[in-house]
Amino acid sequence: MIKKGKKLYEGKAKILYAAPEKGTAIQHFKDDATAFNNQKKATIEGKGILNNRISEHILSSLNQIGIQTHLIKRINMREQLIKLVEIIPIEFVIRNIATGSLTKRLAIEEGTVLEKPLLEFCYKNDSLGDPLIAREHIYAFNYCDVTTLNFITKQCFRINDFLQGMFKGIGIKLVDFKLEFGIARKDQANSLNDKILLADEISPDTCRLWDSASEKKLDKDIFRKDLGSLIEGYQEVARRLDILHEQSNVRPIKFSRPTAVKIKKK
Ligand code: UDP
């Protein structure tokens, strides 16, 4: 068993703990769900377990095609051992179909299939509501350098290409998703490929996933828009990825409904 050290950071859906080996950490997936920049909150039993497993599966699959990630291994139902990286303060959003903030911002019709994938940059800052920024802001405020940004841009499109195909094979449209990257410690990195690691998570919390035939939502929009059981959507994704059997062989997991839904008034 890997001994968990002190809490390093707590975010909305995950907690980072120190791990015994230098340069590593334990990423713990919580059951907390938030939306609309923290205005809507709930605890959804089992969400963290599903995201831990789904994200492990996706990051490992990406690793097999040569995308370096922070994931070392999953260590239990809720936790993964990861390489500690310095997160670049940019959310990289890749879109294949218009929905969400894009439709509102530019009055693009919901569901419009984009001619080619669109990459957007958002400055990772909750108090500012993660504003959309241009490449020029990234350079002007030194969020990352040109070489790093060019490398990440290529990685984003490679990842999109792979994931689109992977989901298509299981009857799911990858509508859009968010990626984060981090810089590895110097002694862990020899090349650009070892230095800039895909970090955070890729799960139905960070992707929009629609059933190909019915366009039924299987992602966090179920929670954002009160469309039914979020767990059923996430379980459906895990089931189609063929990664649900481990847990369900032992004992069917029964998840209850959200315990609390609070909407803060501004
Ligand atoms: N996204 C995310 N975290 C964020 C913002 C966005 O994971 O802090 C994901 C979101 O789940 C979606 C994509 O990025 O898959 C595009 O999100 P959009 O900008 O449309 O977000 P909205 O404003 O509609 O929530």
Side-chain angles (χ1 to χ4, degrees):
M1 209 186 80
I2 297 167
K3 203 168 164 279
K4 211 150 69 184
K6 68 168 196 270
K7 194 193 277 187
L8 301 175
Y9 172 79
E10 178 156 6
K12 286 175 282 191
K14 295 188 291 294
I15 306 173
L16 208 60
Y17 295 97
E21 199 183 322
K22 207 177 155 206
T24 68
I26 292 169
Q27 177 167 259
H28 174 107
F29 288 75
K30 300 194 280 184
D31 282 341
D32 296 351
T34 63
F36 311 119
N37 202 17
N38 241 343
Q39 288 178 58
K40 182 173 179 173
K41 289 185 190 175
T43 303
I44 303 174
E45 199 190 330
K47 180 177 83 83
I49 297 173
L50 283 158
N51 280 349
N52 183 24
R53 185 69 187 94
I54 294 171
S55 190
E56 178 213 8
H57 177 79
I58 295 180
L59 265 60
S60 316
S61 306
L62 287 168
N63 194 245
Q64 283 171 15
I65 60 152
I67 307 276
Q68 302 297 327
T69 82
H70 73 161
L71 178 71
I72 300 171
K73 60 176 180 181
R74 182 167 64 95
I75 49 181
N76 58 45
M77 285 221 291
R78 286 192 181 273
E79 288 165 338
Q80 317 181 330
L81 184 66
I82 58 164
K83 290 181 188 162
L84 202 54
V85 295
E86 194 189 321
I87 294 286
I88 296 168
I90 301 168
E91 296 193 337
F92 297 86
V93 172
I94 299 104
R95 302 178 182 273
N96 298 306
I97 300 176
T99 188
S101 63
L102 176 67
T103 55
K104 293 182 202 119
R105 208 185 313 121
L106 299 174
I108 312 284
E109 201 186 332
E110 166 82 19
T112 307
V113 178
L114 304 177
E115 256 174 53
K116 51 183 191 171
L118 174 68
L119 174 62
E120 292 178 343
F121 310 114
C122 297
Y123 178 48
K124 205 172 135 60
N125 185 315
D126 278 342
S127 55
L128 299 175
D130 299 338
L132 185 74
I133 51 171
R135 208 166 257 270
E136 285 68 20
H137 294 100
I138 298 177
Y139 302 145
F141 304 115
N142 255 323
Y143 299 146
C144 81
D145 62 41
V146 183
T147 319
T148 304
L149 193 58
N150 287 343
F151 176 80
I152 293 177
T153 300
K154 280 197 202 123
Q155 295 290 77
C156 286
F157 290 121
R158 276 187 73 200
I159 293 169
N160 182 49
D161 197 55
F162 177 82
L163 293 185
Q164 253 192 320
M166 186 188 86
F167 281 118
K168 197 171 181 187
I170 54 170
I172 292 174
K173 284 185 198 173
L174 176 62
V175 174
D176 58 27
F177 60 105
K178 185 258 311 180
L179 296 175
E180 291 184 32
F181 290 83
I183 310 286
R185 286 151 39 104
K186 277 198 192 73
D187 57 348
Q188 290 179 340
N190 300 314
S191 63
L192 214 54
N193 207 31
D194 294 327
K195 194 176 141 207
I196 303 159
L197 307 183
L198 175 65
D200 195 51
E201 66 174 294
I202 303 183
S203 72
D205 262 14
T206 63
C207 302
R208 284 199 175 95
L209 303 168
W210 296 354
D211 175 76
S212 301
S214 65
E215 301 216 324
K216 188 178 164 196
K217 294 175 172 60
L218 303 170
D219 57 71
K220 206 167 98 174
D221 271 354
I222 302 172
F223 168 69
R224 292 189 188 100
K225 300 180 173 181
D226 296 319
L227 300 175
S229 163
L230 177 121
I231 288 299
E232 278 171 24
Y234 286 30
Q235 276 180 328
E236 180 61 20
V237 174
R239 192 186 63 72
R240 292 194 201 181
L241 287 170
D242 206 19
I243 54 176
L244 202 61
H245 54 279
E246 271 178 33
Q247 286 138 2
S248 51
N249 269 352
V250 184
R251 176 164 48 96
I253 355 169
K254 248 191 141 253
F255 295 116
S256 52
R257 296 193 69 76
T259 49
V261 178
K262 270 189 258 162
I263 299 181
K264 268 197 225 155
K265 289 213 175 74
K266 274 194 177 166

